[in-house]
């Protein structure tokens, strides 16, 4: 029996199907202030991502470079969420479905997707359109077959996936519909109970590899005694959402800052996350960048990992960049 397993890990694919690509002005619709619209246009063009629809080929490159690996995990955000309401929007659901189908064709049963925030929906930057939708959460499960929580055992390793938006619901609650909030909180309570059970079932000799899209959720997860009891066994937490190591670096530098509530929902959401970012430390996080990275650095890529089923040595992670002919080894 083989003692080594190779993993492929990708995040924030933001695949654009044909229906989403028809929405050529979706980033500006709903931003009424011309000065703010110009500022956000500059930010997207030169810092974040100039053309959100231009990166489908990176998924094909990922698949070509990871043929033959044993298992794959996608850490959320499969569509461009161009209606900002998640996959209850038909166009976003079609994009996510096409993206996930490509991954499942290559990896079959040896593939697990994670919920990202864009599967559920969130308000657009600079405007008030969109938000979390229960219909998106349910459709992602029924049509896209994304499990809210899952566990996979590989020798002495246990891989666990969770839903960051549910865990950080207090941060996102204002972006939900008022009539849906009671059900959101019920779903969160159910999710937490599932997570408690998953962690309680972990044996003392086992090691944990946790997958959580948005690190905003980690302080809330860390409040759970069942999770805290296993911190010494938690080898790595793989996050996505931040797209670039530069954003992770800035997040760590700003950890503990006060929340800002008067500049709109996006600064409020970000600063609420940063206020508690100092509680990320016990999770030993590793950021998997988006496939495209950010416009400023063009630093996209994905990870592969070599896992020893006997846990005799730590997991070896290797970052593969698309835009530079280098690979970076990350050592826990």
């Amino acid at each position: 029996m083989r003692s080594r397993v190779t993993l492929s890990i990708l995040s924030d694919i933001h695949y654009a199907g044909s229906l989403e690509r028809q929405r050529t002005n979706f980033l500006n619709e709903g931003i009424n202030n011309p000065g703010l619209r110009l500022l956000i246009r500059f930010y997207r063009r030169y810092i974040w991502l100039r053309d959100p629809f231009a990166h489908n080929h990176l998924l094909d490159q990922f698949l070509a470079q990871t043929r033959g690996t044993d298992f794959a995990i996608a850490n959320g955000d499969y569509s461009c969420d161009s209606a900002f309401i998640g996959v209850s929007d038909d166009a976003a659901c079609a994009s996510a479905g096409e993206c996930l189908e490509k991954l499942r064709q290559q990896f079959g049963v040896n593939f697990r997707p994670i919920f990202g925030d864009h599967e559920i929906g969130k308000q657009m930057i600079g405007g008030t359109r969109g938000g979390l939708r229960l219909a998106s959460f349910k459709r992602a499960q029924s049509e896209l077959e994304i499990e809210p929580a899952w566990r996979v055992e590989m020798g002495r390793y246990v891989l666990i996936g969770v839903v960051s938006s549910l865990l950080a619901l207090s941060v996102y609650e204002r972006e939900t519909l008022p009539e849906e909030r009671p059900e959101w909180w019920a779903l969160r309570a159910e999710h937490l109970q599932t997570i408690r059970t998953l962690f309680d079932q972990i044996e003392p000799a086992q090691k944990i590899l946790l997958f959580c899209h948005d690190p905003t959720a980690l302080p809330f997860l860390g409040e759970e005694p069942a999770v805290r009891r296993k911190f010494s066994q938690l080898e790595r937490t793989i996050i996505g959402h931040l797209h670039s190591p530069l954003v992770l670096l800035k997040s760590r530098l700003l950890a503990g800052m006060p929340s800002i509530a008067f500049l709109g929902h996006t600064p409020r959401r970000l600063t609420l996350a940063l206020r508690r970012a100092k509680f990320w430390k016990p999770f030993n996080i590793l950021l998997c960048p988006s496939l495209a990275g950010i416009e400023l650095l063009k630093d996209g890529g994905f990870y592969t990992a070599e896992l020893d089923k006997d846990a005799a040595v730590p997991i070896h992670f290797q970052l593969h960049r698309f835009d530079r002919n280098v690979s970076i080894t990350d050592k826990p």
Side-chain angles (χ1 to χ4, degrees), residues 68-265:
T69 53
D70 299 310
F71 203 90
I73 302 99
N75 210 10
D77 284 4
Y78 308 109
S79 77
C80 292
D81 191 20
S82 53
F84 305 101
I85 57 171
V87 297
S88 58
D89 169 55
D90 288 339
C93 190
S95 295
E98 189 174 337
C99 171
L100 290 168
E101 179 59 26
K102 287 191 172 192
L103 288 160
R104 286 174 171 134
Q105 282 181 353
Q106 176 149 315
F107 297 104
V109 298
N110 296 318
F111 169 69
R112 292 292 185 279
I114 304 290
F115 265 93
D117 50 335
H118 283 293
E119 279 65 72
I120 299 172
K122 70 179 196 180
Q123 285 185 345
M124 67 182 298
I125 183 171
T128 57
R129 290 178 58 206
L132 287 72
R133 297 293 184 268
L134 281 173
S136 293
F137 183 67
K138 294 174 181 178
R139 192 177 192 182
Q141 294 175 74
S142 61
E143 293 188 29
L144 300 178
E145 300 180 37
I146 305 175
E147 296 178 73
W150 51 259
R151 167 188 171 125
V152 174
E153 291 196 21
M154 296 181 179
R156 287 180 56 192
Y157 277 95
V158 180
L159 282 57
I160 293 177
V162 298
V163 183
S164 57
S165 296
L166 279 183
L167 294 169
L169 185 58
S170 60
V171 175
Y172 286 100
E173 184 178 20
R174 291 189 186 183
E175 299 180 35
T176 63
L177 299 175
E179 64 272 19
E180 292 187 348
R181 285 172 190 167
E183 188 170 350
W184 276 119
W185 283 106
L187 286 168
R188 183 183 188 271
E190 180 184 339
H191 190 52
L192 278 173
Q193 186 54 51
T194 300
I195 290 170
R196 293 180 193 120
T197 301
L198 289 175
F199 274 81
D200 282 339
Q201 291 172 345
I202 294 170
E203 300 292 337
Q206 291 182 306
K207 297 283 188 179
I208 306 166
L209 197 60
L210 177 65
F211 293 87
C212 178
H213 175 74
D214 180 355
T216 305
L218 297 180
F220 299 98
L221 194 58
E223 292 173 355
E224 292 297 314
V227 175
R228 289 201 304 271
R229 285 194 293 267
K230 306 296 182 182
F231 273 158
S232 63
Q233 296 170 247
L234 181 56
E235 188 161 320
R236 277 296 207 177
T237 298
I238 313 302
I239 63 167
H241 186 64
L242 303 181
H243 283 218
S244 166
L246 177 64
V247 181
L248 177 60
L249 174 63
K250 297 297 184 184
S251 299
R252 283 174 161 152
L253 292 174
L254 294 172
M257 71 172 292
S259 60
I260 299 173
F262 60 88
L263 293 177
H265 62 86

